[in-house]
Amino acid sequence: METQQSNAMKEDSKTKEEDAAVDAELAKAIMARCFHPSVIGPEAWEGYVFSDLEIRIKESTDLYGAVLWPSAMVLCHFLETHRDKHNLMDKNVIELGAGTGLVSIVSSLLGAKMTSTDLPDVLGNLQYNVVRNTKGRCKYIPLVTELIWGPEVEQRFPRATHSFDYIMAADVVYSHPYLEELMDTFDHLCQENTQILWAMRFRLDRENSFVDRFRQRFDMEEIYNLPSLSIKLYRAWRKDKRTKDQRKAAA
């Protein structure tokens, strides 16, 4: 018995070491996408390389939503390295809380018909970054538009005329008073064939509780778990109501 327990502990320790090594390697590859300008010019920017192209992102330290967080880089890395399973070419894609626009830019470079959304106060910087990095580079001109989560989403994107293949979200869950509105926005935009790709950094217990409530409305799987960055990447889709009804009837 003691030998079996000892072997189990060794296997568990080995698995943890392997997971840590994978985490470190993946995190290193993701963060290597970022570079800094060799010469400081009149405009401050951060550089990123995706789709073999240089992307220059202007941040605004005055606005929380106009700063690029690592979750966006995690999602962009996934999009580029998993084009076989998640090909964005000619797909209708919307990003919630686009911030500085990196995810929207990379999605556009990968061929998506992109709708990039955020609050009015960050829209100017978002528009600047998206236009600067996609003009003449993309099959489709991305749309940058205002979106306030909650009731407005039904007016701006009625289901009868708007259908999205993918919903992108990076670091949209944090300590603010609009998490219920965010949940309702996911719920409205996610139709039968929509996939959600959502990267988030865990900072507070409130984020864990949001994930628990999210699971009640959507089926989801964990794609990346990067403890070194405190970031997880999820794929989610609408629960099949017919299957649920069949299970209830069988019970």
Side-chain angles (χ1 to χ4, degrees), residues 4 6 16 32 40 50 55 87 98-99 108 110-111 130 144 151 159 171-172 176 194 205 210-211 225-226 251:
Q4 291 178 345
S6 177
K16 289 181 179 179
I40 299 177
F50 288 97
I55 299 171
N87 187 350
S108 295
L110 293 173
V130 169
V144 177
R159 283 190 168 189
D171 237 350
V172 292
H176 62 62
T194 306
D205 289 339
F210 183 88
V211 172
N225 182 4
L226 301 169

Side-chain angles (χ1 to χ4, degrees), residues 82-223:
H82 290 76
R83 281 179 282 185
D84 54 338
K85 293 183 179 179
H86 299 278
N87 187 350
L88 299 186
M89 183 62 68
D90 302 325
K91 297 295 194 298
N92 288 314
V93 180
I94 186 169
E95 183 183 6
L96 304 180
T100 58
L102 183 64
V103 173
S104 292
I105 292 164
V106 171
S107 298
S108 295
L109 294 175
L110 293 173
K113 301 174 185 177
M114 193 69 215
T115 300
S116 185
T117 71
D118 213 317
L119 295 171
D121 56 351
V122 301
L123 217 59
N125 191 64
L126 172 60
Q127 175 82 35
Y128 174 82
N129 283 331
V130 169
V131 171
R132 175 186 193 177
N133 290 285
T134 62
K135 189 174 182 179
R137 289 176 159 183
C138 302
K139 184 176 181 180
Y140 302 101
I141 299 173
L143 171 66
V144 177
T145 187
E146 171 189 329
L147 180 63
I148 299 174
W149 299 336
E152 182 180 309
V153 70
E154 296 183 18
Q155 302 170 9
R156 299 297 301 275
F157 300 102
R159 283 190 168 189
T161 55
H162 292 76
S163 177
F164 296 100
D165 299 294
Y166 285 92
I167 300 169
M168 305 290 181
D171 237 350
V172 292
V173 179
Y174 48 88
S175 184
H176 62 62
Y178 302 111
L179 293 182
E180 288 305 319
E181 288 81 357
L182 172 60
M183 186 76 78
D184 291 340
T185 300
F186 274 128
D187 192 48
H188 174 79
L189 294 174
C190 187
Q191 299 187 37
E192 184 178 354
N193 296 316
T194 306
Q195 294 188 62
I196 300 171
L197 292 175
W198 164 32
M200 67 177 291
R201 184 175 182 182
F202 287 79
R203 304 180 183 87
L204 305 167
D205 289 339
R206 194 171 186 183
E207 284 137 9
N208 290 306
S209 64
F210 183 88
V211 172
D212 291 337
R213 286 184 285 119
F214 188 89
R215 289 183 188 276
Q216 295 174 10
R217 294 201 196 186
F218 302 95
D219 287 322
M220 61 189 296
E221 66 172 337
E222 184 181 291
I223 298 174

